[in-house]
Each structure stands twice: as C-alpha cells, then as structure tokens.
Amino acid sequence: MSLAITGLGLVSSLGHDVVSGCAAIRCGMARPVPLGLQVVSSGDEPGVEPVVGFPIQGLTEGFVGLGLHALLVQEAIRDLCIYAELTGADSRFWQDTAFFLGLSGPRTPEQDLMVEQLQERLLPAVSRRSGLRFSPRLQKVLARGHVSVLAAMAEADEAIASGQVQRALIVGVDSLTSDLEALEWLAMKGRLKTPERAVGFMPGEAAAALLVEDPAQARRRGARVEARVEALRVGGGDGAAPSMRLVEVLEGTLARATRIGDVYGDLNGEESRAMEWGTLLARLPADSVLAEVRSHWPAVSLGDTGAASGGVSMAVATRSFVRKYARGDEILVWSRSDEGAVASGLLVRP
C-alpha cells in the first residue's frame, strides 16, 4: 500500500496552523501553563500546587465537550484547506472524499455519555459548520485513542484501493486539559506528572488533519505530494503480551524499511511506553535500520494529545521533508493507545 499526503492542518498549544506549530516543535518550544486542578505537594513548603498542561490559549477557553471538539476539528480543517489551497466550492472534490474522525474513548466512567455524544453528533456538526459535503459513502468515527489516525489511514487505504472514494480526510482530535473531573481521576491513578510524581504525562489538547490519496490520482490532479505513507501496521490490545505488542507491530513495519533517519513516537512520560520502546531497541542488532536514528517525541512540546497524537507526528514528520531537515528518506511513526492498541507506519520522501 502507499498513500500520498497532500494536505496538512494542525491546531495546538504552539499555534493555530501547521506551519508555525511544526516549526515551534522543531525548535523545542513549549507553553505549559497551570491548569485548574491542584494537587498536594510535600516539598520544602508543603501545600498545594497546580497540575501543569498545554491548553490552546486564546482559542478553547470556555469550551467543553461537543462544542470544544467541534471547534478544534473545524480549525484543523480550515488550516488544511489553506495549506492545500482547497475551498468548499468544488463540491465534487469533497463528495469523492471520505471523512474519518479519530477520538478517544472514555477515560473515566463519567465520560461515557460525553463520548457517546461525540460519536453521534460531532461528525455531522463538523460537516455542517465547515460547509463541506463529504462522501456519503464513507464517513466514520474511530474512538481508538492514540492509534486512531494510523488506524484511519489503514482503512482509508482499503477504501481508496477498492474504488469507494478517491481520497480521505482524516482528523484526530482530543483534549485532556478541559475536564477537571477526568484530570482528578488521572491524578488519583498516578498517571499525571505532578510535583510529587516525576513519571507521568502532562495533559495537552490538539486537532490534526491529514488529506491522503492515491499517489497516481494526486499527480493527475496536480496536487502537491509532500510524503508517502507505507508499511502501515495496526495491532489490537490483545494477543501478545503487553510488552511485546508494540515490538511485533514495529518489527513488521521495519521489515519494509531500508534506512530510517528519524522516528516520531508516542512517548509521553509514562514508564510503560518507555519500557515497550526500550524492549524493541534491545532486540535490534547493532546494524539495524534504526542504528543512526534521531528520536522525536512531540509530547515534550505539546503534552499528551491523545487521539490527535498520531496526526501530530505525521504532520511534523511530513514538514521535516518539506523543510529539508529530515535525516534521510524514511521516517518511522508509531502510536500506542492507553488500552494497549499499537500502530506504526513509514513516512517516505516523495
């Protein structure tokens, strides 16, 4: 399989467009701010300190639930249309375009209703607010957390290859900063980075949009192909031992690689993810395709962006080809969900 990436959109704590956002990530910028949740600190002066995260200041304040997610998706699509020089005027173009929306499932029992509402109402709300009429043949929500974008790419490849559609718009969206009850629950579970716990993740929020299509079709319509996606592998949260799920999926992708210069992955400060990545590295020979790889972890700049994280990695990696700072012609991208599902793919210079 091979998909051409012909459009990018991104809204994050480092900017409301993909060009400035990816440039800020490249230079190591970060804008962490205190969130509304406070936790106990027993340092030199015992008391309480706020949990720190990466909200999108100046855009998402006051928004929650469906309204928040619809706003983020709309902004990511708007940025993609500007980036790829597309408009809503060509109704035929969008009617030949599938629409995949990547979300996270409920992180707490209290979020069941909200996630159900998002699955039922977010896609129609986005279509209405964006003014774009997507293919009635294929509009789908994937609530698979961090692996949503790569899993959507795999499904998009099948749909394009079978002739159902000519291209697919894939948007991953998530916010871990806006729900204080969920933050409190995550802190109680020991998953958040706090003054008392150095091992944990910092909450973020983002929406990332990708336009993918058959490379030959992209060339025929004169689109700007900025990267190709190959060797996609998606694995569920069952089967192999948890420590080996990422290894099995990554080894399948690496078997198709020649020499990888960069890797963009889902390390977010949690020990389990680091151990799974380390397990893979320990199994590789000294002369493996990752022998001289340069590693990038977008969560360092944006916090954990959940279902948007795979799209963020794809966007930043693609921009490294465009701006010519990628180390080679192949980039490894991998994702791992909270439930243990894993996915990986190769990004290849066009």
Side-chain angles (χ1 to χ4, degrees), residues 26 98 142 180 191 247 329:
R26 179 195 178 191
L142 287 79
L180 293 185
R191 295 192 58 196
V247 171
D329 295 332

Side-chain angles (χ1 to χ4, degrees), residues 198-221:
V199 178
F201 72 83
M202 300 174 72
E205 64 180 356
L210 305 167
L211 188 67
V212 297
E213 52 193 300
D214 175 75
Q217 171 62 25
R219 287 192 296 269
R220 283 194 293 271
R221 73 175 185 87

Side-chain angles (χ1 to χ4, degrees), residues 2-336:
S2 181
L3 289 173
I5 295 181
T6 57
L8 300 171
L10 177 65
V11 55
S12 72
S13 60
L14 289 179
H16 300 174
D17 68 276
V18 68
V19 173
S20 61
C22 291
I25 292 172
R26 179 195 178 191
C27 69
M29 287 182 62
R31 292 176 179 168
V33 298
L35 302 177
L37 176 66
Q38 292 189 323
V39 294
V40 175
S41 172
S42 59
D44 295 336
E45 297 183 5
V48 294
E49 293 189 35
V51 170
V52 174
F54 298 82
I56 305 176
Q57 295 180 291
L59 179 66
T60 60
E61 291 97 331
F63 287 87
V64 294
L66 178 63
L68 170 63
H69 286 75
L71 173 65
L72 289 173
V73 174
Q74 181 181 359
E75 288 298 305
I77 293 175
R78 179 193 60 80
D79 183 41
L80 180 144
C81 288
I82 294 172
Y83 186 88
E85 300 178 348
L86 300 170
T87 69
D90 187 352
S91 59
R92 178 64 181 274
F93 179 90
W94 296 107
Q95 288 175 2
D96 287 332
T97 303
F99 186 18
F100 291 91
L101 197 53
L103 307 172
S104 283
R107 294 184 171 90
T108 70
E110 290 75 19
Q111 287 189 327
D112 285 342
L113 183 60
M114 184 195 75
V115 172
E116 183 179 337
Q117 183 185 54
L118 292 177
Q119 291 178 307
E120 293 178 356
R121 299 176 56 188
L122 181 55
L123 197 152
V126 170
S127 299
R128 183 173 62 252
R129 293 176 63 167
S130 67
L132 304 178
R133 297 184 178 275
F134 299 102
S135 170
R137 290 166 288 177
L138 189 52
Q139 299 184 35
K140 186 172 182 180
V141 176
L142 287 79
R144 301 191 61 181
H146 295 72
V147 304
S148 293
V149 168
L150 294 185
M153 280 189 165
E155 293 199 20
D157 178 61
E158 293 179 3
I160 293 169
S162 66
Q164 295 182 62
V165 292
Q166 292 189 12
R167 66 195 68 84
L169 174 64
I170 300 169
V171 184
V173 60
D174 216 334
S175 175
L176 290 85
T177 64
S178 60
D179 190 331
L180 293 185
E181 291 185 357
L183 286 175
E184 184 176 2
W185 187 86
L186 289 167
M188 291 175 60
K189 291 292 185 180
R191 295 192 58 196
L192 295 185
K193 182 178 181 180
T194 68
E196 294 292 294
R197 185 175 177 83
V199 178
F201 72 83
M202 300 174 72
E205 64 180 356
L210 305 167
L211 188 67
V212 297
E213 52 193 300
D214 175 75
Q217 171 62 25
R219 287 192 296 269
R220 283 194 293 271
R221 73 175 185 87
R224 188 175 67 236
V225 176
E226 300 195 329
R228 295 196 327 272
V229 184
E230 299 181 354
L232 275 172
R233 303 267 298 187
V234 182
D238 50 13
S243 62
M244 293 300 296
R245 291 170 189 161
L246 181 63
V247 171
E248 289 186 355
V249 166
L250 286 173
E251 286 181 340
T253 294
L254 294 177
R256 298 280 302 277
T258 303
R259 198 71 173 179
I260 295 174
D262 298 271
V263 57
Y264 289 80
D266 244 349
L267 292 193
N268 66 350
E270 292 190 279
E271 186 176 11
S272 59
R273 294 168 186 261
M275 290 182 65
E276 291 171 18
W277 175 245
T279 298
L280 169 80
L281 297 180
R283 290 167 57 92
L284 295 175
D287 60 346
S288 77
V289 294
L290 294 179
E292 299 176 4
V293 75
R294 180 173 54 188
S295 300
H296 310 267
W297 317 115
V300 172
S301 291
L302 301 182
D304 189 321
T305 53
S309 61
V312 171
S313 291
M314 282 288 180
V316 180
T318 299
R319 288 293 297 170
S320 75
F321 284 149
V322 176
R323 299 297 296 166
K324 296 180 172 52
Y325 57 85
R327 293 190 66 181
D329 295 332
E330 296 176 332
I331 297 174
L332 173 67
V333 176
W334 63 266
S335 297
R336 188 263 207 189

